[in-house]
């Protein structure tokens, strides 16, 4: 698989760009955004710098591309972090100056719709970081989750191996971000069962590739940023997560089936599947409905693997998706999946 280089890390006191390559929800819902900025300053010792489109809903793809260019070109900016995801970042990709960004590599943090920019950076040979959006993780109500904070701090400031752990409790529900009371108490959570391992007979070490499954499906449909010659992904570790739109099991299977038909799935000897987000404001599932959804998703993934990648090892319910806590995955960075020892180690 293509080798990517880790960009230089910031140190406390450095400036970090805060941009909205997807949605400008920070303007509509300032409470988690402002809390995230405060924590970047006080908990991480960084100085956040916002850009013209950071808080602007309805910004054009060109305006967002301009912010990305400004953040990467500024030599005083040492890292870049997205505010939140969205659903149309794919329209920004054709406007990006590859040579400008390649010449100014920086750690970029984001998840969900930010899979677009992460895969773009990967194709430039730059390791990015899947996770840690300002509003959703750094601006978490009440307090930063300790597991999230530790992972983000390690990814931001250190280089080397970092072992992922399974959360004892997790959260996939939310309260109203417009209500100040939301931020005054610890969010509700529920017990988390351990990781579920499939074919854990070996050790796989490779470069991480993947991200949000829905975004990958859109990139495949638009024929953007995903190599047609799938040999480019040989030996990598695929990691996938799904969003609050909660695609059903049949939809997940169909996306993976198309990836299999393209020859992608068989290239990855290991798959990390994030804990399924099974609750949304539109579909506030009770615990039993959430359990059924998670089982349906897992069965869909296993069905696709059986058809297209029967030798692939898989680990389910890893905490890197749309649930809380959220661990950071180095996109294009090294991941070691040790089946016999039931351990996952990433390299930041």
């Amino acid at each position: 698989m293509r080798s990517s280089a880790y960009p230089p890390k910031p140190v406390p006191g450095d400036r970090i760009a805060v941009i909205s390559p997807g949605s400008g929800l920070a303007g509509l819902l300032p409470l988690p955004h402002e809390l995230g900025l405060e924590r970047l300053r006080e908990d991480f010792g960084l100085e956040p710098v916002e850009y013209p489109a950071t808080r602007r809903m309805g910004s054009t793809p060109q305006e967002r591309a301009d912010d990305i260019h400004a953040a990467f070109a500024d030599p005083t900016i040492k890292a870049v972090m997205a505010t939140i995801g969205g659903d149309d970042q794919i329209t920004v990709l054709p406007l990006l100056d590859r040579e400008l960004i390649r010449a100014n590599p920086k750690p970029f943090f984001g998840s969900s719709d930010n899979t677009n920019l992460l895969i773009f950076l990967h194709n430039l040979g730059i390791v990015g970081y899947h996770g840690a959006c300002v509003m959703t993780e750094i601006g978490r109500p009440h307090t930063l989750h300790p597991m999230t904070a530790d992972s983000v701090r390690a990814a931001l400031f250190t280089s080397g191996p970092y072992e992922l752990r399974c959360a004892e409790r997790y959260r996939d529900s939310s309260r109203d971000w417009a209500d100040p009371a939301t931020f005054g108490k610890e969010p509700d959570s529920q017990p988390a069962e351990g990781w579920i391992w499939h074919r854990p007979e070996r050790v796989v070490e490779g470069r991480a590739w993947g991200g949000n499954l829905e975004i990958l499906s859109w990139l495949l449909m638009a024929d953007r940023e995903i190599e047609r010659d799938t040999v480019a992904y040989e030996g990598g570790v695929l990691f996938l997560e799904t969003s609050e739109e909660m695609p059903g099991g049949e939809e997940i299977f169909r996306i993976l089936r198309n990836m299999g038909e393209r020859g992608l799935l068989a290239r990855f000897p290991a798959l990390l599947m994030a804990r399924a987000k099974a609750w949304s404001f539109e579909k506030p599932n009770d615990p039993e409905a959430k359990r059924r959804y998670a089982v349906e998703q897992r069965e869909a993934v296993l069905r696709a693997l059986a058809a297209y990648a029967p030798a692939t090892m898989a680990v389910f319910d890893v905490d890197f998706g749309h649930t809380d806590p959220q661990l950071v995955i180095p996109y294009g960075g090294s991941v070691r999946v040790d089946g016999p020892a039931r351990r996952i180690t990433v390299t930041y």
Side-chain angles (χ1 to χ4, degrees):
M1 188 172 173
R2 174 188 290 113
S3 178
S4 296
Y6 289 85
K9 300 290 184 90
V11 297
D14 280 345
R15 286 155 49 98
I16 182 172
V18 174
I19 61 175
S20 296
S23 172
L25 272 176
L28 284 181
L29 297 166
L31 294 179
H33 181 63
E34 293 288 351
L35 181 56
L37 297 180
E38 179 183 335
R39 287 182 178 149
L40 284 174
R41 295 187 186 98
E42 296 185 1
D43 292 30
F44 295 97
L46 297 169
E47 183 55 42
V49 178
E50 297 185 72
Y51 288 77
T54 300
R55 303 196 194 204
R56 184 185 301 157
M57 283 295 292
S59 60
T60 67
Q62 186 62 62
E63 289 169 334
R64 286 176 272 161
D66 290 345
D67 284 0
I68 294 169
H69 292 150
F72 276 87
D74 186 342
T76 72
I77 296 293
K78 303 302 181 181
V80 183
M81 185 174 285
T83 56
I84 200 167
D87 68 0
D88 72 339
Q89 197 176 121
I90 192 171
T91 64
V92 177
L93 296 184
L95 305 174
L96 296 179
D97 185 331
R98 292 178 184 269
E99 294 312 310
L100 181 152
I101 296 172
R102 194 197 314 270
N104 298 277
K106 293 172 184 178
F108 170 73
F109 290 78
S111 58
S112 193
D113 195 30
N114 295 292
T115 296
N116 285 283
L117 192 46
L118 288 164
I119 198 170
F120 178 89
L121 293 169
H122 170 72
N123 289 340
L124 296 181
I126 302 169
V127 171
Y129 296 89
H130 181 278
C133 288
V134 173
M135 296 176 68
T136 49
E137 281 74 50
I138 310 301
R140 178 186 187 270
H142 194 256
T143 55
L144 268 169
H145 193 289
M147 288 181 66
T148 301
D150 191 68
S151 176
V152 173
R153 186 169 286 107
L156 268 170
F157 300 125
T158 71
S159 300
Y162 182 90
E163 186 170 350
L164 304 187
R165 303 286 185 179
C166 182
E168 295 182 359
R169 300 185 66 85
Y170 79 98
R171 172 179 66 96
D172 66 351
S173 61
S174 301
R175 299 193 185 101
D176 185 2
W177 278 354
D179 183 358
T182 293
F183 299 88
K185 60 181 179 178
E186 179 69 15
D188 296 330
S189 64
Q190 63 189 69
E193 298 179 358
W195 295 336
I196 298 172
W197 290 77
H198 169 72
R199 299 192 62 86
E201 299 91 8
R202 57 180 171 153
V203 176
V204 172
E205 188 161 3
R207 296 277 177 164
W209 185 90
N212 180 261
L213 183 61
E214 298 105 298
I215 301 304
L216 291 175
S217 75
W218 298 350
L219 288 167
L220 285 164
M221 283 190 282
D223 195 20
R224 288 201 184 139
E225 302 300 329
I226 298 178
E227 301 281 358
R228 294 185 180 182
D229 185 355
T230 61
V231 73
Y233 305 103
E234 185 69 39
V237 174
L238 181 63
F239 71 100
L240 299 173
E241 55 103 2
T242 54
S243 76
E244 70 280 359
E245 294 185 2
M246 296 191 297
E250 196 60 29
E251 181 181 354
I252 289 170
F253 173 74
R254 288 169 178 168
I255 294 171
L256 293 173
R257 180 175 62 190
N258 290 336
M259 293 174 69
E261 289 291 330
R262 186 156 173 162
L264 265 174
L265 287 187
R267 297 295 184 182
F268 298 96
L271 163 67
L272 305 182
M273 193 75 198
R275 192 182 304 281
K277 182 172 175 61
W279 184 99
S280 71
F281 285 107
E282 293 74 24
K283 196 171 183 179
N285 285 332
D286 62 25
E288 177 57 25
K290 291 200 285 188
R291 187 197 68 79
R292 288 197 305 269
Y293 176 78
V295 170
E296 177 185 325
Q297 182 177 109
R298 183 167 64 250
E299 290 177 347
V301 174
L302 290 173
R303 181 179 162 202
L305 291 181
Y308 294 101
T312 292
M313 173 169 51
V315 191
F316 294 88
D317 293 348
V318 186
D319 296 284
F320 63 81
H322 276 69
T323 57
D324 170 50
Q326 186 195 71
L327 305 176
V328 176
I329 304 294
Y331 202 112
S334 178
V335 179
R336 178 182 171 88
V337 187
D338 187 334
R342 304 298 199 272
R343 298 175 70 179
I344 303 170
T345 305
V346 300
T347 298
Y348 290 147

